[in-house]
């Protein structure tokens, strides 16, 4: 699966990119027809400490699955986004199978 990671107004380090790649690649086991993934990292301009946003768009045939979560760290935001995408992929897979 092709995973494209882009960060807005900053450069993500390799450790963070490796973490994201590892998490997103695991989603491939849930659903077979994933074409690729786009991950966007942003730092929101707010007073609150929860200002790191991870947005994941899974490209699949038919519709795309999209999740955007904000947390104190990019790792936490990525975990939350992956969980949301996981639920969407399971729902899409079950719908296709007629369950």
């Amino acid at each position: 699966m092709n995973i494209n990671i882009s960060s807005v107004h900053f450069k993500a380090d390799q450790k963070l990119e490796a973490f994201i790649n590892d998490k997103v690649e695991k989603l491939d086991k849930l659903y077979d027809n994933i074409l690729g993934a786009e991950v966007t990292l942003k730092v929101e301009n707010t007073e609150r400490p929860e200002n790191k946003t991870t947005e994941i768009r899974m490209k699949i045939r038919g519709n795309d699955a999209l999740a955007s979560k904000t947390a104190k760290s990019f790792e936490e935001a990525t975990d939350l986004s992956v969980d949301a995408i996981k639920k969407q992929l399971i729902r899409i897979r079950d719908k296709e199978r007629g369950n």
Side-chain angles (χ1 to χ4, degrees):
M1 171 178 32
N2 183 24
I3 301 170
N4 183 17
I5 300 173
S6 58
S7 47
V8 179
H9 301 301
F10 74 98
K11 176 74 175 116
D13 64 347
Q14 289 183 332
K15 186 176 168 188
L16 178 60
E17 288 186 2
F19 175 82
I20 292 169
N21 275 321
D22 186 48
K23 290 287 185 178
V24 174
E25 281 177 358
K26 289 180 181 176
L27 294 171
D28 207 22
K29 295 181 179 96
L30 286 175
Y31 187 72
D32 295 333
N33 296 328
I34 296 175
L35 304 173
E38 289 181 9
V39 180
T40 306
L41 305 172
K42 298 180 208 166
V43 178
E44 302 293 335
N45 191 9
T46 64
E47 300 290 323
R48 298 171 45 218
E50 295 87 10
N51 66 345
K52 313 279 190 306
T53 300
T54 301
E55 182 179 292
I56 302 174
R57 177 184 301 271
M58 299 298 291
K59 296 179 181 178
I60 54 178
R61 291 196 179 98
N63 290 329
D64 289 353
L66 177 68
S68 180
K69 300 292 180 185
T70 303
K72 291 181 182 178
S73 70
F74 283 117
E75 290 83 1
E76 186 181 350
T78 299
D79 281 337
L80 294 170
S81 295
V82 165
D83 287 343
I85 290 282
K86 207 180 281 188
K87 290 176 187 173
Q88 291 179 43
L89 291 177
I90 290 170
R91 193 172 25 219
I92 291 168
R93 180 190 68 196
D94 290 347
K95 191 174 180 183
E96 286 179 358
R97 291 181 180 171
N99 292 344

